[in-house]
Amino acid sequence: MLDIDRLVRSDEGLIHPSIYSDPEIYQLELERVFARSWLFLAHDSQLPRPGSFVQAYMAEDPVLVVRQRDGSVKAFLNQCRHRGMRICRVDEGTAKAFTCTYHGWAYNIAGELVNVPMEERAYHGEIDKSKWGPRQVPRIHQYKGFYFGTWDEDVPPFEEYLGDMAWYFDAMADRFDEGLTLVPGPTKWVIDCNWKFAAEQFSSDMYHVPVSHSSAFVALIADPEIRQAVDVTPPGRQFSGNGHGSGFGLRTSLESARIGGNWDAYMRSSQEEVYQRLGEQRALHDGHNTVFPNFSWLSINNTMRVWHPRGAGQIEVWAWSYLPKGAPEKAKQEARLDTVRTFSPAGIFETDDGENWTEIQQVLRGHVARQSYFNAQMGLGHERWDAEGLPGRTAGDMYQEMAARGMYQRWADLMSGLSWEEIAAKDADRMKNEEVPSA
Ligand code: FES
Ligand SMILES: [Fe+2]
């Protein structure tokens, strides 16, 4: 029997290494974490017309996300009910129907089985096609253009699940009147590490930046004088709630926050609108973020990604650049290239991050290396409530591991098999017992 409370002692900031490497824990995660959470499926801009579809993954389960004739979006398991072949094998496109390439069963865009080859001769006309559609994702929610889905009938509605993280999510998702678009051409690649390293870092870890990325700053800013002047450790804050996390510098202007090229100038040209829409404080929110469990974005580079788990020791990253919907083609291409240069498999920042995670994962092959707790105690006891107009629970610094502890606590609660009511009650209890120092 797994003793989850022993593996994650978040109140003490202790994380047991086996949660990143144990195949048994991984199988349980698929069932208790991923199949019970809201997972990112697609963005509105990927599904422009009826029949538009994209492949997505809900952890290891492949799904097809399809725009319906009435404008709604459905998602269903990309698995033929005849013998389990992937129904559709292309990444995205527009379809009237999906025909399985193994024996030819065909499904309409709603995921209903509509044609079976040799139905009379082979099945004697006795197959009830209405019973053999793929498994439908029962709950889908569109939030500011982002579609999330869940297999779980009991998980709270998406907005409730998001909680105070909505304030931070909106700083990205609801930034422009016109909405966002994902720049076509996502980057997909594999990293040999556990998904939690990536999700946790985007949730909580600013601490690695001055060390891990020091060479990237040298490559990016050739002039040592200018480099010296760039403050990579500005004052900042960190948010943690419902397992989600966000860390951000306290900026004084959008100019001080950004390092991009012309696409960035396009972003800045909308600055006034953004200030009016979000208020100054939120307009300047510009950090690293994870919506539990595996959807992350980095505002400073307009990159968002999903960390799809692929076994305990591997992830498949799907990453997109995003821009305001009306951005000119040139800006979109520049944003995409900028992401390629910085946060992609060959990007100067991303390679630093991936290197750290794969090294950790390799060390975890050792028996002894899996025996002693990791330290996630940074800033323990220095959390704040409602500090400086920021909603939810925030830390007085972005150099903190409060969001990591919050993420692992949510993970542990789900892994323990607690119901959503029990989790909510436990969270409320925790808040009551916590010291609430004034900001
Ligand atoms: S597996 Fe799809 S038609 Fe046989
Ligand atoms: Fe990094």
Side-chain angles (χ1 to χ4, degrees):
M1 279 294 286
L2 283 171
D3 183 354
I4 303 291
D5 289 342
R6 188 183 67 85
L7 298 178
V8 170
R9 290 160 54 184
S10 62
D11 293 348
E12 302 162 86
L14 297 176
I15 310 294
H16 199 272
S18 61
I19 69 166
Y20 305 106
S21 61
D22 184 328
E24 204 187 318
I25 290 178
Y26 176 69
Q27 286 306 320
L28 204 62
E29 279 180 332
L30 293 184
E31 178 192 331
R32 294 191 177 171
V33 175
F34 287 100
R36 296 184 64 198
S37 297
W38 284 102
L39 304 176
F40 173 72
L41 295 176
H43 186 262
D44 211 42
S45 58
Q46 295 175 283
L47 304 166
R49 61 187 71 85
S52 295
F53 70 89
V54 289
Q55 291 232 33
Y57 276 94
M58 298 173 75
E60 299 250 24
D61 288 309
V63 292
L64 278 171
V65 189
V66 194
R67 177 80 69 191
Q68 303 299 298
R69 275 181 245 291
D70 65 0
S72 67
V73 164
K74 281 187 191 289
F76 46 87
L77 203 59
N78 191 5
Q79 180 192 39
C80 178
R81 290 292 301 285
H82 176 232
R83 208 61 99 250
M85 177 63 174
R86 214 181 276 265
I87 296 168
C88 174
R89 297 170 68 191
V90 287
D91 291 345
E92 56 185 87
T94 308
K96 289 195 174 119
F98 302 100
T99 304
C100 177
T101 52
Y102 196 171
H103 311 91
W105 282 24
Y107 303 86
N108 66 13
I109 60 172
E112 295 157 339
L113 179 62
V114 289
N115 191 50
V116 171
M118 293 194 276
E119 187 173 344
E120 283 307 314
R121 178 174 166 182
Y123 290 91
H124 308 279
E126 290 167 0
I127 184 167
D128 181 352
K129 295 202 286 294
S130 70
K131 289 204 168 73
W132 294 101
R135 175 85 179 263
Q136 295 279 337
V137 178
R139 293 172 68 192
I140 292 178
H141 185 77
Q142 198 248 96
Y143 182 83
K144 317 239 161 142
F146 290 74
Y147 287 90
F148 285 79
T150 180
W151 302 108
D152 191 290
E153 300 284 2
D154 299 322
V155 61
F158 183 76
E159 272 93 347
E160 204 180 304
Y161 176 90
L162 208 51
D164 289 317
M165 185 69 189
W167 193 91
Y168 305 90
F169 193 5
D170 289 357
M172 180 267 284
D174 201 20
R175 200 169 185 81
F176 306 98
D177 293 343
E178 57 189 310
L180 296 179
T181 186
L182 301 195
V183 178
T187 312
K188 300 178 180 179
W189 73 103
V190 165
I191 303 177
D192 288 329
C193 72
N194 185 270
W195 67 273
K196 292 187 286 303
F197 290 126
E200 185 216 300
Q201 186 178 292
F202 273 65
S203 170
S204 184
D205 191 336
M206 192 66 190
Y207 193 44
H208 75 287
V209 173
V211 178
S212 288
H213 297 309
S214 56
S215 59
F217 286 111
V218 173
L220 201 66
I221 311 167
D223 186 327
E225 252 173 63
I226 299 178
R227 199 163 60 237
Q228 288 284 312
V230 174
D231 184 6
V232 292
T233 58
R237 298 286 180 266
Q238 187 179 87
F239 161 80
S240 170
N242 292 4
H244 319 304
S246 177
F248 45 95
L250 295 174
R251 311 287 188 185
T252 49
S253 70
L254 281 184
E255 280 79 3
S256 70
R258 299 192 161 272
I259 50 173
N262 284 343
W263 65 273
D264 197 20
Y266 178 78
M267 294 286 286
R268 283 202 292 266
S269 69
S270 323
Q271 188 164 340
E272 269 315 303
E273 175 201 323
V274 175
Y275 274 101
Q276 285 202 351
R277 193 173 170 78
L278 297 176
E280 184 173 335
Q281 192 176 28
R282 184 146 55 156
L284 293 172
H285 176 266
D286 202 341
H288 55 79
N289 310 265
T290 294
V291 166
F292 185 89
N294 65 337
F295 176 69
S296 300
W297 69 98
L298 203 53
S299 318
I300 198 163
N301 270 74
N302 289 28
T303 172
M304 52 168 268
R305 65 265 314 279
V306 185
W307 318 104
H308 295 300
R310 295 290 180 262
Q314 195 174 75
I315 54 173
E316 194 173 313
V317 190
W318 287 22
W320 293 265
S321 305
Y322 59 88
L323 277 182
K325 203 176 261 170
E329 205 45 44
K330 194 163 179 286
K332 287 182 188 164
Q333 287 317 317
E334 284 182 356
R336 194 177 60 78
L337 286 175
D338 192 53
T339 307
V340 166
R341 280 190 289 267
T342 51
F343 287 92
S344 75
I348 54 174
F349 291 95
E350 189 91 48
T351 43
D352 299 332
D353 295 326
E355 172 104 357
N356 290 331
W357 305 333
T358 52
E359 282 288 318
I360 303 169
Q361 201 69 36
Q362 278 182 27
V363 175
L364 287 178
R365 295 169 76 103
H367 169 73
V368 179
R370 277 180 272 125
Q371 305 308 315
S372 310
Y373 283 100
F374 289 166
N375 180 314
Q377 297 178 328
M378 194 192 303
L380 196 61
H382 295 270
E383 300 85 356
R384 299 276 183 279
W385 280 98
D386 295 324
E388 294 139 12
L390 296 164
R393 189 170 181 249
T394 55
D397 203 333
M398 62 181 167
Y399 294 90
Q400 245 282 0
E401 286 170 345
M402 176 185 73
R405 291 188 290 274
M407 176 185 133
Y408 289 116
Q409 186 58 54
R410 174 53 58 100
W411 179 90
D413 289 345
L414 285 168
M415 287 290 277
S416 301
L418 298 185
S419 70
W420 284 101
E421 287 76 30
E422 287 168 328
I423 292 174
K426 215 175 148 192
D427 279 350
D429 237 30
R430 206 176 285 131
M431 287 179 202
K432 229 179 359 198
N433 294 334
E434 230 169 46
E435 293 270 312
V436 187
S438 51

